Amino acid sequence: MVNGSPEALFFSAIPPEGISRNTLKEKLGIETFDIGSKAAAKNKWIAFDKDLVKRKVESVEDEVKNLLTRINNGEVVSDQVINDLKRRKLIVKQTWKGYSLKRGPKYVSKRKKAATDLTREHIVSGDWKNQEFKEYNVNAEAPAIQVGYLHSLLEVREEIQNIFLQMGFEEMPTNNFVESSFWNFDALFQPQQHPTRDSHDTFFLETADRTKDLPEDYLEKVKRVHEFGGYGSKGYGYDWKRDEAEKNLLRTHTTAVSTRMLYALAQQETFTPKRYYSIDRVFRNEAVDRTHLAEFHQIEGVICDRGLTLGDLIGVLEDFFSRLGMSKLRFKPAYNPYTEPSMEIFSYHDGLQKWVEVGNSGMFRPEMLLPMGLPEDVNVIAWGLSLERPTMILYGISNIRDLFGPKVDFNLIKNNPICRLGI
Ligand code: FB9
């Protein structure tokens, strides 16, 4: 640009009598010719007459070159000018960072290493007076300490366990995944031809496939109530088979444990009311999908006391689920072979903006309780839900495989926030 802007070069290359385009092009070169011609024409310095290029003014002021010189001398020019020259790629923005160094108040020629701690020696020697102490960087990140993390399921299990304990429940011993068909089905007055009792729904054992110890007298009562009823029931009227009851399986619900506990309770001299809970694994030979595996953790609450009613069940469900943060409940009549009446429990989930099925419940049938030997006026209310569903919803996990099984991502566990239910 030292020799001037393209348009100024273009103009000054035109003799007073004019000149042909091509001659001018050769003279200036194609680039200066193209840029110069446009700008000179725009500045109404020149005119084209067919192949001839002619001057329209005597002389011109190379404003562009002047501006560039002024900018070069650090002069400030208007934004308009800057933008024009930028658009014509005649200038580019460059940012320089300059630092001015000058002595600070604490300048010393030789810096004494700042002490990180005030030690006994400093005190004794007294040199703490002119010792520089390093500032404490209170924002420094603490070194990440490698600690163990509770799996999200166990986080939620602990919260739900605390709710049961706060409500005066005691935990049932669920340390037996293998159960006999007797305690898992028959004792619950579930008929032997019930669809869930075939291998499509239940995992039966091939080895150790039969149980040896069943309480004989109680077994007789169970047989009779299935076959002929009693206690006001007409029973199922089918031929009950002992060997069906002896089949071992992977328990399909922790209600099997509730049955054992209620039978044990009935054997006591005097009846004492009880509140039991269980949270442990159950197995169902079901189609595996995004929210179902062949096993899940069942949560169960059981209350056994004289004169309990459906109202008591609804009341304790309101209490239990409100502690889980679910206050709006609705109950839908349902059917279980071992409870009558039975209810599915629904809660309105604000986050999901919809009613969610949050469990099942009912009053255990007399055909189940009375053969055990529980007093006539004792009723047992119970309910159940899964541990996986609330955990998936609370932690926003859409696929159960991300929660349970080989594909679990440890970082998810590590970074999962503390589970605070009901808050
Ligand atoms: O957990 C379930 N739903 C649920 C629970 C809590 C929850 O919390 C969110 C934070 C807000 C969300 C959802 N369900 C029970 C309902 C459904 O998911 C259902 O489709 C699946 N059910 C499982 C069984 O599936 C075959 C959940 C599991 C279940 C069902 C019934 C019982 C236990 C677990 C029971 C029982 C029972 C009944 C009477 C007497 C004794 C026990």
Side-chain angles (χ1 to χ4, degrees):
M1 190 60 70
V2 183
N3 320 327
S5 64
E7 58 270 34
L9 293 172
F10 187 94
F11 181 84
S12 53
I14 303 167
E17 69 280 8
I19 183 170
S20 80
R21 282 170 189 269
N22 294 341
T23 322
L24 200 46
K25 212 174 267 180
E26 273 143 33
K27 214 166 155 192
L28 294 169
I30 187 60
E31 196 191 354
T32 306
F33 178 92
D34 285 351
I35 297 172
S37 60
K38 282 196 202 73
K42 188 163 150 284
N43 298 349
K44 298 190 182 16
W45 292 352
I46 58 141
F48 292 92
D49 165 7
K50 286 192 277 322
D51 174 46
L52 210 54
V53 185
K54 297 180 78 177
R55 291 181 173 200
K56 275 176 81 176
V57 292
E58 277 313 304
S59 67
V60 298
E61 182 54 39
D62 190 347
E63 195 45 42
V64 170
K65 184 173 176 214
N66 300 346
L67 288 168
L68 292 171
T69 315
R70 284 169 51 197
I71 291 170
N72 218 13
N73 304 343
E75 250 185 75
V76 178
V77 295
S78 74
D79 293 354
Q80 175 56 37
V81 168
I82 295 285
N83 296 340
D84 291 352
L85 293 173
K86 250 199 229 169
R87 190 167 29 71
R88 289 191 58 180
K89 295 188 179 43
L90 294 173
I91 59 172
V92 281
K93 187 173 182 102
Q94 260 174 356
T95 317
W96 284 311
K97 273 208 174 58
Y99 297 93
S100 66
L101 282 183
K102 60 183 183 309
R103 287 185 176 187
K106 291 191 185 162
Y107 173 79
V108 284
S109 57
K110 205 177 118 23
R111 178 163 297 289
K112 198 154 162 240
K113 195 167 168 340
T116 51
D117 276 315
L118 177 63
T119 61
R120 181 179 168 288
E121 286 66 38
H122 287 129
I123 307 286
V124 173
S125 64
D127 78 356
W128 58 269
K129 291 194 193 76
N130 47 29
Q131 170 62 55
E132 200 174 316
F133 288 94
K134 207 155 183 241
E135 298 279 324
Y136 275 115
N137 172 1
V138 289
N139 305 322
E141 285 290 319
I145 42 177
Q146 292 311 319
V147 296
Y149 295 83
L150 268 186
H151 184 290
S152 322
L153 274 175
L154 293 178
E155 287 260 12
V156 178
R157 186 188 194 287
E158 197 155 323
E159 290 290 320
I160 293 178
Q161 175 162 270
N162 295 341
I163 288 172
F164 275 117
L165 296 172
Q166 286 150 19
M167 292 174 72
F169 285 70
E170 57 187 277
E171 184 162 18
M172 293 186 261
T174 54
N175 53 341
N176 64 312
F177 291 169
V178 175
E179 185 55 279
S180 65
S181 296
F182 180 79
W183 290 110
N184 197 82
F185 291 126
D186 296 279
L188 281 142
F189 194 55
Q190 190 146 345
Q192 294 188 334
Q193 66 283 18
H194 189 281
T196 58
R197 291 187 68 158
D198 64 27
S199 57
H200 294 99
D201 283 10
T202 299
F203 296 107
F204 287 94
L205 269 63
E206 267 142 27
T207 55
D209 60 348
R210 295 197 161 286
T211 186
K212 299 282 175 286
D213 64 348
L214 292 173
E216 290 309 323
D217 60 346
Y218 174 43
L219 181 144
E220 282 314 313
K221 292 193 183 101
V222 170
K223 171 182 172 65
R224 219 180 0 271
V225 77
H226 278 245
E227 294 184 338
F228 315 111
Y231 323 102
S233 169
K234 56 182 182 15
Y236 294 118
Y238 71 92
D239 167 22
W240 188 86
K241 294 188 186 47
R242 183 188 182 116
D243 77 324
E244 184 60 36
E246 288 177 345
K247 285 183 182 166
N248 279 337
L249 44 81
L250 293 183
R251 63 173 177 225
T252 61
H253 48 193
T254 54
T255 319
V257 179
S258 309
T259 314
R260 285 172 176 276
M261 296 300 283
L262 291 169
Y263 174 71
L265 189 62
Q267 306 325 298
Q268 286 181 98
E269 280 317 299
T270 55
F271 168 75
T272 48
K274 278 289 182 184
R275 291 172 164 237
Y276 289 130
Y277 79 90
S278 62
I279 308 175
D280 210 329
R281 240 177 250 203
V282 297
F283 308 83
R284 296 185 183 181
N285 187 359
E286 272 173 354
V288 172
D289 64 18
R290 186 182 61 73
T291 57
H292 284 83
L293 291 173
E295 58 185 272
F296 67 89
H297 293 77
Q298 175 169 347
I299 300 166
E300 178 149 318
V302 175
I303 302 180
C304 179
D305 201 346
R306 300 183 187 281
L308 287 177
T309 67
L310 187 65
D312 294 310
L313 175 56
I314 291 173
V316 80
L317 290 175
E318 299 276 5
D319 182 358
F320 176 79
F321 282 99
S322 67
R323 293 166 189 250
L324 274 173
M326 295 180 241
S327 47
K328 280 200 291 297
L329 295 185
R330 276 198 315 202
F331 302 98
K332 183 173 152 220
Y335 171 79
N336 299 312
Y338 40 87
T339 51
E340 186 55 42
S342 308
M343 306 185 298
E344 277 172 359
I345 311 156
F346 289 80
S347 159
Y348 186 77
H349 195 277
D350 300 327
L352 304 169
Q353 295 292 316
K354 63 176 181 170
W355 286 93
V356 178
E357 184 195 349
V358 290
N360 191 304
S361 64
M363 301 186 72
F364 284 131
R365 300 182 73 106
E367 294 94 333
M368 170 186 166
L369 303 177
L370 297 176
M372 292 175 171
L374 283 168
E376 290 270 330
D377 64 343
V378 166
N379 272 337
V380 181
I381 55 179
W383 72 96
L385 62 156
S386 77
L387 182 61
E388 282 75 4
R389 296 296 298 126
T391 307
M392 290 173 72
I393 291 178
L394 285 162
Y395 284 99
I397 296 165
S398 63
N399 190 316
I400 195 158
R401 287 178 195 70
D402 300 336
L403 178 66
F404 197 59
K407 285 223 198 88
V408 168
D409 155 4
F410 277 116
N411 293 321
L412 185 116
I413 305 276
K414 272 193 183 163
N415 311 328
N416 260 340
I418 293 287
C419 156
R420 276 286 167 272
L421 280 175
I423 294 175

